[in-house]
Amino acid sequence: MSAAHVIADDAEALAVAAELAADFRKGAAERDARRRLPHAELERLSASGLLAVTVPARFGGADVRADTLVEIFRLLAAADASLAQIPQSHFVYVNVLRRHGTDEQQEFFFGEVLAGKRFGNAQSEAGTQHVQDIRTRLARLPDGSYVLDGVKHYSTGALFAHWIPVLARTEDDTLHVAYVPRDAPGVTVVDDWDGMGQRTTASGTVRLESVPVPADRVVPHHLTFQGPQLHGAVAQLLHAAIDAGIASGALAEAVEFVRTKSRPWFESAAEGHPTAAEDPLLIQRFGELAIRERAAEALLREAARAVDDARADLTDDSAAEASIAVATAKVTAAEAAVEVASALFEVSGTRSALDSLGLHRHWRDARTHTLHDPARWKVQHIGRYVLNGTRPPRHGLL
């Protein structure tokens, strides 16, 4: 890998993201149809410097605001939701290092990120009692190092990663993150993801068999949840940005299709509306969809500002306010993504359902991504906070 560009500030980060998104959009339908994994595109993403924009300034990074980061993800997801999903975990685990990495760990890993190295994800497990039931084990050896054993699923980014952060429990059952090289002995990444949507994320299986882990590659993640924290808020904010991006991309495709390909319904044509874009019923529906998309984007920006405000003055109250703002944005963005991606066919007509056009990727991506964690529980926590002042729990998903 050649040396990555180092982005200077928020404005440059947004300009680079917009340029890449425009290029990535061109091949998105073909990649999805053929399930062509975006190796070349990810190399460009690394080289661009976008993966390092949250590295703290004292280590040479741009340390961009949260509203900049979510706009980067929204732009990328509007172009290709699979591609945007891949670095979500990368930024989550950069954030883990910001919070609980030692000075030496931060200096090393932030240097790796600035050089264009990518973090993957080995977090979720299948067949356990629930999502927080982590059975992967990090056993300490007499010399202070560790050995890692377990099986992970939905490991988005692992196949493309240079480093795979692995969520595991030590002997005392506390959560840690082990940062493991992708090519470490005992690590096997299996490309067995067959989801109907987000087809090119390669969110498959990671097997860990007696993987050696030096002590200085382990971070005590359990400490994250012992005080006010933004770990879950930042992670969920990026998911919300992906959903908002899917809605934006689907709406843009619908607009283009209706303007250039759709025929007017015969009753509309008979009333003097020669094109589908002049059909008053379609105009009404597009107005409704635009309102949904704009509401999702507005709440996303508001949530990002709440995260930035909390980061500047982190207390139980500011963390709770940020989490609730993010949860509100996530629920709204998820609903908008599914509705707009489905309505694309409603407003475009029969031809839009042709498999060869690949327009269904937006709905498949929306329906798949919004299953990540249930919106109904976010609504519960919002209601408890508004009605009774109950702060949301610190479990990493809010």
mmCIF file of all heavy atoms in Angstrom, residues 19 31 54 63 96 112 136 172 183 240 262 300 320 353 357 365 376-377 380 388:
data_model
loop_
_atom_site.group_PDB
_atom_site.id
_atom_site.type_symbol
_atom_site.label_atom_id
_atom_site.label_comp_id
_atom_site.label_asym_id
_atom_site.label_seq_id
_atom_site.Cartn_x
_atom_site.Cartn_y
_atom_site.Cartn_z
ATOM 1 N N GLU A 19 -16.388 13.587 -3.879
ATOM 2 C CA GLU A 19 -15.732 13.143 -5.109
ATOM 3 C C GLU A 19 -15.720 11.615 -5.205
ATOM 4 O O GLU A 19 -16.042 11.043 -6.258
ATOM 5 C CB GLU A 19 -14.304 13.687 -5.166
ATOM 6 C CG GLU A 19 -13.545 13.287 -6.422
ATOM 7 C CD GLU A 19 -12.125 13.825 -6.457
ATOM 8 O OE1 GLU A 19 -11.754 14.589 -5.540
ATOM 9 O OE2 GLU A 19 -11.386 13.484 -7.395
ATOM 10 N N ARG A 31 -21.613 -3.928 -9.167
ATOM 11 C CA ARG A 31 -20.990 -4.657 -8.060
ATOM 12 C C ARG A 31 -22.023 -5.479 -7.301
ATOM 13 O O ARG A 31 -21.777 -6.626 -6.934
ATOM 14 C CB ARG A 31 -20.287 -3.682 -7.104
ATOM 15 C CG ARG A 31 -18.996 -3.106 -7.624
ATOM 16 C CD ARG A 31 -18.212 -2.375 -6.534
ATOM 17 N NE ARG A 31 -18.905 -1.195 -6.034
ATOM 18 C CZ ARG A 31 -18.838 0.003 -6.591
ATOM 19 N NH1 ARG A 31 -18.108 0.200 -7.681
ATOM 20 N NH2 ARG A 31 -19.483 1.042 -6.060
ATOM 21 N N THR A 54 -10.930 10.858 12.005
ATOM 22 C CA THR A 54 -11.246 10.991 13.434
ATOM 23 C C THR A 54 -10.022 10.785 14.325
ATOM 24 O O THR A 54 -10.149 10.767 15.552
ATOM 25 C CB THR A 54 -12.347 10.004 13.858
ATOM 26 O OG1 THR A 54 -11.922 8.660 13.594
ATOM 27 C CG2 THR A 54 -13.642 10.287 13.123
ATOM 28 N N ASP A 63 -9.352 15.115 13.126
ATOM 29 C CA ASP A 63 -10.288 15.104 14.255
ATOM 30 C C ASP A 63 -11.568 15.861 13.904
ATOM 31 O O ASP A 63 -11.960 16.811 14.586
ATOM 32 C CB ASP A 63 -9.627 15.709 15.499
ATOM 33 C CG ASP A 63 -10.329 15.282 16.793
ATOM 34 O OD1 ASP A 63 -11.236 14.423 16.729
ATOM 35 O OD2 ASP A 63 -9.984 15.801 17.854
ATOM 36 N N VAL A 96 -12.785 3.429 20.202
ATOM 37 C CA VAL A 96 -12.398 2.658 21.387
ATOM 38 C C VAL A 96 -10.983 3.022 21.814
ATOM 39 O O VAL A 96 -10.702 3.208 23.011
ATOM 40 C CB VAL A 96 -12.513 1.141 21.107
ATOM 41 C CG1 VAL A 96 -11.857 0.328 22.222
ATOM 42 C CG2 VAL A 96 -13.981 0.737 20.964
ATOM 43 N N GLU A 112 -0.979 3.731 12.218
ATOM 44 C CA GLU A 112 -1.447 2.763 11.224
ATOM 45 C C GLU A 112 -2.621 3.317 10.426
ATOM 46 O O GLU A 112 -2.676 3.198 9.197
ATOM 47 C CB GLU A 112 -1.879 1.465 11.933
ATOM 48 C CG GLU A 112 -0.737 0.653 12.507
ATOM 49 C CD GLU A 112 0.013 -0.110 11.437
ATOM 50 O OE1 GLU A 112 -0.429 -1.202 11.044
ATOM 51 O OE2 GLU A 112 1.043 0.412 10.967
ATOM 52 N N THR A 136 -16.451 -15.667 23.008
ATOM 53 C CA THR A 136 -15.047 -15.695 22.588
ATOM 54 C C THR A 136 -14.166 -15.363 23.792
ATOM 55 O O THR A 136 -14.454 -14.431 24.543
ATOM 56 C CB THR A 136 -14.816 -14.688 21.454
ATOM 57 O OG1 THR A 136 -15.601 -15.083 20.330
ATOM 58 C CG2 THR A 136 -13.357 -14.624 21.057
ATOM 59 N N ASP A 172 -12.086 -13.047 34.057
ATOM 60 C CA ASP A 172 -13.033 -12.441 34.996
ATOM 61 C C ASP A 172 -14.337 -12.015 34.315
ATOM 62 O O ASP A 172 -15.156 -11.314 34.895
ATOM 63 C CB ASP A 172 -12.408 -11.248 35.712
ATOM 64 C CG ASP A 172 -11.961 -10.149 34.750
ATOM 65 O OD1 ASP A 172 -12.164 -10.311 33.526
ATOM 66 O OD2 ASP A 172 -11.413 -9.143 35.224
ATOM 67 N N ASP A 183 -3.657 -11.293 9.084
ATOM 68 C CA ASP A 183 -2.904 -12.480 8.681
ATOM 69 C C ASP A 183 -2.248 -13.190 9.865
ATOM 70 O O ASP A 183 -1.318 -13.996 9.689
ATOM 71 C CB ASP A 183 -1.842 -12.123 7.644
ATOM 72 C CG ASP A 183 -0.849 -11.068 8.141
ATOM 73 O OD1 ASP A 183 -1.014 -10.579 9.286
ATOM 74 O OD2 ASP A 183 0.086 -10.729 7.395
ATOM 75 N N ALA A 240 -27.270 5.372 11.418
ATOM 76 C CA ALA A 240 -28.327 6.289 10.994
ATOM 77 C C ALA A 240 -27.931 7.021 9.710
ATOM 78 O O ALA A 240 -28.764 7.248 8.825
ATOM 79 C CB ALA A 240 -28.634 7.287 12.105
ATOM 80 N N SER A 262 -40.183 6.973 -17.187
ATOM 81 C CA SER A 262 -41.570 6.615 -16.872
ATOM 82 C C SER A 262 -42.545 7.267 -17.851
ATOM 83 O O SER A 262 -42.390 8.435 -18.221
ATOM 84 C CB SER A 262 -41.928 7.056 -15.454
ATOM 85 O OG SER A 262 -41.212 6.314 -14.508
ATOM 86 N N LEU A 300 -30.539 13.733 11.781
ATOM 87 C CA LEU A 300 -29.171 13.218 11.780
ATOM 88 C C LEU A 300 -28.187 14.329 12.146
ATOM 89 O O LEU A 300 -27.293 14.140 12.980
ATOM 90 C CB LEU A 300 -28.848 12.642 10.403
ATOM 91 C CG LEU A 300 -27.485 11.973 10.228
ATOM 92 C CD1 LEU A 300 -27.384 10.706 11.048
ATOM 93 C CD2 LEU A 300 -27.245 11.666 8.740
ATOM 94 N N ALA A 320 -26.646 11.176 27.954
ATOM 95 C CA ALA A 320 -28.020 10.708 27.777
ATOM 96 C C ALA A 320 -28.710 11.494 26.670
ATOM 97 O O ALA A 320 -29.397 10.920 25.810
ATOM 98 C CB ALA A 320 -28.794 10.836 29.084
ATOM 99 N N ALA A 353 -38.991 -2.452 -12.025
ATOM 100 C CA ALA A 353 -38.786 -3.729 -11.347
ATOM 101 C C ALA A 353 -37.886 -4.682 -12.126
ATOM 102 O O ALA A 353 -37.597 -5.789 -11.650
ATOM 103 C CB ALA A 353 -40.135 -4.405 -11.084
ATOM 104 N N LEU A 357 -31.946 -3.585 -14.151
ATOM 105 C CA LEU A 357 -31.704 -2.200 -13.751
ATOM 106 C C LEU A 357 -31.074 -2.087 -12.364
ATOM 107 O O LEU A 357 -30.436 -1.089 -12.041
ATOM 108 C CB LEU A 357 -33.019 -1.404 -13.773
ATOM 109 C CG LEU A 357 -33.676 -1.241 -15.147
ATOM 110 C CD1 LEU A 357 -35.000 -0.512 -15.013
ATOM 111 C CD2 LEU A 357 -32.752 -0.493 -16.100
ATOM 112 N N ASP A 365 -30.900 -3.266 0.447
ATOM 113 C CA ASP A 365 -29.928 -2.708 1.393
ATOM 114 C C ASP A 365 -30.629 -2.109 2.611
ATOM 115 O O ASP A 365 -30.195 -2.303 3.755
ATOM 116 C CB ASP A 365 -29.070 -1.637 0.709
ATOM 117 C CG ASP A 365 -28.048 -2.212 -0.252
ATOM 118 O OD1 ASP A 365 -27.763 -3.422 -0.170
ATOM 119 O OD2 ASP A 365 -27.534 -1.445 -1.090
ATOM 120 N N ARG A 376 -37.685 -0.643 17.713
ATOM 121 C CA ARG A 376 -38.729 -0.601 18.744
ATOM 122 C C ARG A 376 -38.142 -0.357 20.132
ATOM 123 O O ARG A 376 -38.773 0.294 20.963
ATOM 124 C CB ARG A 376 -39.556 -1.888 18.722
ATOM 125 C CG ARG A 376 -38.766 -3.165 18.961
ATOM 126 C CD ARG A 376 -39.612 -4.413 18.750
ATOM 127 N NE ARG A 376 -38.843 -5.643 18.937
ATOM 128 C CZ ARG A 376 -38.153 -6.233 17.968
ATOM 129 N NH1 ARG A 376 -38.126 -5.697 16.744
ATOM 130 N NH2 ARG A 376 -37.478 -7.344 18.191
ATOM 131 N N TRP A 377 -36.929 -0.864 20.385
ATOM 132 C CA TRP A 377 -36.323 -0.635 21.696
ATOM 133 C C TRP A 377 -35.779 0.785 21.814
ATOM 134 O O TRP A 377 -35.734 1.356 22.905
ATOM 135 C CB TRP A 377 -35.238 -1.670 21.974
ATOM 136 C CG TRP A 377 -35.847 -2.900 22.575
ATOM 137 C CD1 TRP A 377 -36.202 -4.053 21.937
ATOM 138 C CD2 TRP A 377 -36.228 -3.065 23.941
ATOM 139 N NE1 TRP A 377 -36.771 -4.926 22.823
ATOM 140 C CE2 TRP A 377 -36.801 -4.356 24.074
ATOM 141 C CE3 TRP A 377 -36.144 -2.253 25.070
ATOM 142 C CZ2 TRP A 377 -37.276 -4.847 25.278
ATOM 143 C CZ3 TRP A 377 -36.615 -2.747 26.278
ATOM 144 C CH2 TRP A 377 -37.174 -4.029 26.377
ATOM 145 N N GLN A 380 -38.699 2.765 22.843
ATOM 146 C CA GLN A 380 -38.936 2.551 24.277
ATOM 147 C C GLN A 380 -38.063 3.471 25.122
ATOM 148 O O GLN A 380 -38.549 4.126 26.055
ATOM 149 C CB GLN A 380 -38.649 1.093 24.645
ATOM 150 C CG GLN A 380 -39.781 0.142 24.356
ATOM 151 C CD GLN A 380 -40.869 0.239 25.416
ATOM 152 O OE1 GLN A 380 -40.594 0.221 26.612
ATOM 153 N NE2 GLN A 380 -42.103 0.362 24.971
ATOM 154 N N ASN A 388 -40.347 9.930 31.928
ATOM 155 C CA ASN A 388 -39.906 9.734 33.311
ATOM 156 C C ASN A 388 -38.489 10.222 33.596
ATOM 157 O O ASN A 388 -38.006 10.080 34.721
ATOM 158 C CB ASN A 388 -40.014 8.248 33.682
ATOM 159 C CG ASN A 388 -41.439 7.748 33.591
ATOM 160 O OD1 ASN A 388 -42.364 8.423 34.047
ATOM 161 N ND2 ASN A 388 -41.635 6.570 32.988
#
